[in-house]
Amino acid sequence: SRTLLKDQSPAVEQAVLRELESRLRGERVYIGELVSHGSAKYKFDDKNDPSYFVTLKTAQGEKTVWGKHLGTAMEKGELKAGDQIVLRNTGQKDVEVNERVFDAAGNVTGTRSKAAHLNEWTADPLSRFSEKARDQMEVRSQNSSPQLSTPTQQAVRGADRPPPANS
């Protein structure tokens, strides 16, 4: 991966490597140029409920991601068309939703409660993503305390060992 990215900026390289790591862990991460975003009927089908979409121009082509929480993530990220962004699924929470009930002719006859998952998202400019990754590493390193032996501990441990045999 690093060989393929050698001509890219450090920010792009870090983001792409993070995407690869995330995909290996099963996370959903998208990196690309923001084409458009907004509220619409799911998959742009008038028969579906309203949702939120983000369309990105990625290395694999244009990709549209759907999710009700995407609007909140995009608002927090203050992103606009043309921005290079990192869109990342950060987990799910259990929610109750109202599901439409249809008759055999396809007409809505009512609603019923249904358990569902709400995907949670973050959306950040690519440039800020690399800063955040650096900050996370610093926090991790500050919270870890390496366990180093002191000379006294080493001497005590060595005291119960027999002396080395001379040959």
Side-chain angles (χ1 to χ4, degrees), residues 11-62:
V12 170
E13 180 182 354
Q14 286 177 355
V16 170
L17 290 173
R18 172 76 175 124
E19 178 182 7
L20 291 171
E21 289 173 13
S22 297
R23 287 185 181 189
L24 289 172
R25 286 193 304 269
E27 295 176 9
R28 290 189 298 166
V29 177
Y30 304 94
I31 298 173
E33 179 183 330
L34 179 59
V35 175
S36 62
H37 66 99
S39 295
K41 297 280 187 161
Y42 180 65
K43 294 194 175 182
F44 305 112
D45 185 340
D46 287 335
K47 296 176 191 166
N48 292 329
D49 290 331
S51 190
Y52 200 91
F53 74 95
V54 174
T55 300
L56 298 175
K57 189 184 307 177
T58 71
Q60 294 80 30
E62 214 167 81

Side-chain angles (χ1 to χ4, degrees), residues 89-144:
N89 179 272
T90 58
Q92 295 180 336
K93 66 180 178 180
D94 294 328
V95 295
E96 289 287 322
V97 297
N98 286 325
E99 175 183 54
R100 293 183 291 173
V101 178
F102 298 90
D103 64 14
N107 300 312
V108 177
T109 60
T111 62
R112 65 177 165 227
S113 182
K114 174 184 169 184
H117 300 289
L118 177 66
N119 287 313
E120 295 178 322
W121 296 89
T122 61
D124 295 299
L126 182 58
S127 60
R128 192 179 328 153
F129 184 81
S130 60
E131 291 169 19
K132 285 173 72 172
R134 250 192 329 270
D135 291 344
Q136 289 172 354
M137 290 303 286
E138 287 177 29
V139 168
R140 285 186 202 146
S141 67
Q142 289 171 358
N143 291 336
S144 66

Side-chain angles (χ1 to χ4, degrees), residues 54-81:
V54 174
T55 300
L56 298 175
K57 189 184 307 177
T58 71
Q60 294 80 30
E62 214 167 81
K63 173 74 176 164
T64 300
V65 181
W66 291 90
K68 293 187 183 275
H69 187 259
L70 281 171
T72 304
M74 295 301 289
E75 186 177 309
K76 285 182 183 177
E78 299 178 356
L79 302 164
K80 62 185 181 320

